[in-house]
């Protein structure tokens, strides 16, 4: 049976979007500017980068807040079902149609925001029908004889390069121009690694709390955090959420001050122990002073910089110090 989203409401707001990195701050600033304009927005980004979160946050920061936020995943229905889901139908429109007909999701979005997720997967005939709706600002249910006026804002999202789909004639260029008024590109996690600790820490803490841990504020071992930050996260925040749960389950039986052997975590989270391990010498406990200890030689700084591919922010994270502290150490050891 088709699961129809009954609750057309947006939960997320900009306050809940975590990320202080430059690319994330830029994305948040753009989205905040776009939100009140009522213009169509196209959000691009890899799987799990927060496309729906940003769509909801923009809706909640727009004059349509409190109005319906209707999300449609264009990839999750076969064409015929997607059509009746979107447009609804009149009684008797087809065999088995419901008595009295059924309003579609486009109608449900009236006065609010229509979030067209995975728009790149919308079948061409439906793209044509959607374009007509956006141009005419009215819709016709299947089997209907008269259109009804409709008013919604469209936020579309895709992980696919629409330009390529257009070149392959799988996406209508005119629909693209209509949806692409404002565009918001969400950066993948590996381009904003410094945001990773701030996102995963509360996820693990929440999960531990849900599991009934008596150590909800458990700090992650430095080596583990370094591995988390160094991993490339192809599934972005969604993958992070998944691994946070595995880590929480792993940490559960340990006391917060216990020395934890990460070897056994390798079974649960092999991806974190993959091809590019963080430099072992960079994984010492966080230095508590501002000055490098004897151990913390130039070698250790260099190892961290190497493991971090020259990204000072990430190297500082691995060493458990601020970027400015790392900078000072690098100056001092020159
Ligand atoms: N910046 C962020 N701060 C906190 N949580 C985030 C952030 N970005 C995404 N998330 C969380 O990550 C998960 C994935 O986000 P979302 O569903 O918005 O991504 P998406 O780009 O639509 O992914 P998909 O392609 O899988 O549909 C959600 O649970 C969301 O709450
Ligand atoms: Mg999504």
């Amino acid at each position: 049976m088709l699961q129809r989203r009954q609750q057309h409401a947006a939960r997320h707001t900009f306050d809940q979007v975590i990320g202080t990195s430059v690319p994330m701050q830029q994305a948040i600033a753009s989205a905040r500017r776009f939100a009140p304009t009522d213009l169509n927005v196209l959000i691009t980004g890899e799987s799990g980068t927060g496309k729906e979160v940003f769509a909801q946050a923009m809706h909640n920061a727009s004059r349509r807040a409190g109005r319906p936020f209707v999300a449609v995943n264009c990839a999750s229905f076969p064409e015929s079902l997607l059509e009746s889901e979107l447009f609804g139908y009149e009684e008797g429109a087809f065999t088995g149609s419901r008595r009295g007909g059924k309003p579609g999701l486009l109608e449900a979005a009236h006065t609010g925001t229509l979030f067209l997720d995975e728009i790149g997967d919308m079948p061409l005939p439906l793209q044509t029908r959607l374009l007509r709706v956006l141009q005419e600002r009215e819709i016709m249910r299947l089997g209907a004889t008269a259109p009804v006026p409709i008013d919604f804002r469209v936020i579309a999202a895709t992980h696919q390069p629409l330009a390529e789909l257009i070149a392959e004639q799988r996406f209508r260029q005119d629909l693209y121009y209509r949806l692409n008024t404002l565009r918001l590109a969400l950066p993948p996690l590996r381009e904003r690694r410094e945001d990773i600790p701030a996102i995963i820490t509360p996820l693990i803490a929440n999960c531990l709390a849900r599991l009934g841990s008596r150590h909800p504020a458990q700090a992650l071992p430095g080596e583990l955090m370094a591995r988390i930050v160094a991993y490339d996260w192809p599934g972005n925040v969604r993958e992070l959420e998944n691994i946070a749960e595995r880590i929480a389950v792993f940490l559960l039986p340990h006391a917060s001050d216990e020395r934890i052997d990460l070897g056994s975590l390798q079974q649960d989270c092999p991806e974190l122990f993959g091809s590019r391990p963080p430099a072992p010498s960079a994984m010492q406990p966080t230095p508590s002073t501002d000055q490098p200890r004897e151990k913390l030689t130039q070698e250790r700084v260099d190892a961290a910089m190497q493991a971090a591919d020259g990204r000072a922010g990430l190297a500082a994270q691995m060493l458990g110090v601020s970027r400015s502290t790392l900078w000072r150490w690098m100056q001092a050891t020159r």
Side-chain angles (χ1 to χ4, degrees):
M1 231 351 246
L2 251 177
Q3 282 292 311
R4 192 186 166 93
R5 288 266 282 262
Q6 292 299 348
Q7 265 198 321
H8 297 309
R11 296 180 291 122
H12 291 282
T13 61
F14 283 118
D15 293 341
Q16 298 152 1
V17 176
I18 303 174
T20 53
S21 63
V22 170
M24 201 54 178
Q25 285 300 313
Q26 284 171 344
I28 294 171
S30 297
R32 280 186 186 277
R33 261 187 298 117
F34 296 168
T37 64
D38 213 43
L39 295 170
N40 293 344
V41 182
L42 179 65
I43 306 177
T44 56
E46 290 176 13
S47 171
T49 45
K51 298 185 291 295
E52 177 141 15
V53 170
F54 271 82
Q56 291 193 9
M58 279 190 280
H59 169 81
N60 282 330
S62 79
R63 67 170 172 82
R64 296 176 185 271
R67 295 300 185 157
F69 176 89
V70 176
V72 187
N73 189 325
C74 303
S76 66
F77 303 93
E79 182 177 335
S80 58
L81 272 182
L82 182 58
E83 180 171 37
S84 69
E85 280 290 309
L86 282 176
F87 291 88
Y89 51 80
E90 293 294 347
E91 183 173 336
F94 49 85
T95 333
S97 61
R98 196 201 284 177
R99 271 224 266 149
K102 184 175 146 191
L105 293 171
L106 299 183
E107 274 181 71
H110 184 55
T111 71
T113 301
L114 178 69
F115 177 52
L116 292 172
D117 204 1
E118 296 310 344
I119 186 76
D121 290 305
M122 181 176 273
L124 271 173
L126 286 184
Q127 292 178 27
T128 308
R129 287 199 66 181
L130 175 66
L131 180 65
R132 205 168 312 134
V133 171
L134 299 182
Q135 281 165 344
E136 312 292 333
R137 302 246 154 230
E138 54 186 31
I139 75 145
M140 282 255 266
R141 291 189 188 180
L142 301 177
T145 48
V148 289
I150 201 128
D151 163 45
F152 51 67
R153 178 200 207 168
V154 176
I155 301 180
T158 179
H159 74 279
Q160 306 197 69
L162 288 184
E164 281 173 31
L165 298 189
I166 292 168
E168 294 165 13
Q169 310 208 320
R170 284 162 57 203
F171 202 83
R172 289 187 61 127
Q173 189 156 29
D174 42 10
L175 178 60
Y176 174 71
Y177 286 135
R178 200 159 265 274
L179 297 175
N180 191 31
T181 312
L182 299 173
R183 57 185 313 162
L184 183 66
L186 297 183
L189 267 183
R190 65 182 172 282
E191 289 174 14
R192 49 185 180 98
R193 291 178 193 273
E194 62 207 89
D195 291 339
I196 292 173
I199 299 176
I200 201 166
T201 304
L203 287 173
I204 294 174
N206 286 344
C207 190
L208 278 170
R210 263 185 287 124
L211 293 169
S213 166
R214 278 171 296 126
H215 305 282
Q218 199 160 30
L220 286 192
E223 179 191 344
L224 178 54
M225 186 58 97
R227 285 185 180 278
I228 290 168
V229 173
Y231 177 54
D232 268 347
W233 299 105
N236 296 293
V237 185
R238 195 173 293 290
E239 185 181 11
L240 203 73
E241 290 175 336
N242 185 279
I243 291 196
E245 303 209 325
R246 282 190 250 158
I247 291 174
V249 171
F250 169 78
L251 292 175
L252 191 58
H254 297 282
S256 49
D257 54 355
E258 197 179 321
R259 172 119 180 70
I260 297 173
D261 171 24
L262 291 182
S264 42
L265 181 63
Q266 194 160 353
Q267 300 281 329
D268 301 340
C269 303
E271 33 307 65
L272 299 182
F273 297 81
S275 55
R276 200 176 54 137
S281 53
M283 300 316 146
Q284 305 302 315
T286 305
S288 53
T289 64
D290 216 31
Q291 288 301 314
R293 293 186 195 151
E294 303 225 327
K295 275 198 302 194
L296 195 91
T297 55
Q298 182 172 1
E299 210 175 275
R300 205 179 142 205
V301 171
D302 288 348
M305 284 298 282
Q306 204 179 341
D309 271 348
R311 284 179 299 254
L314 175 55
Q317 181 65 54
M318 289 175 164
L319 293 163
V321 299
S322 71
R323 203 193 283 241
S324 51
T325 301
L326 174 66
W327 192 243
R328 228 172 313 122
W329 288 354
M330 286 165 75
Q331 298 297 309
T333 54
R334 279 295 108 84

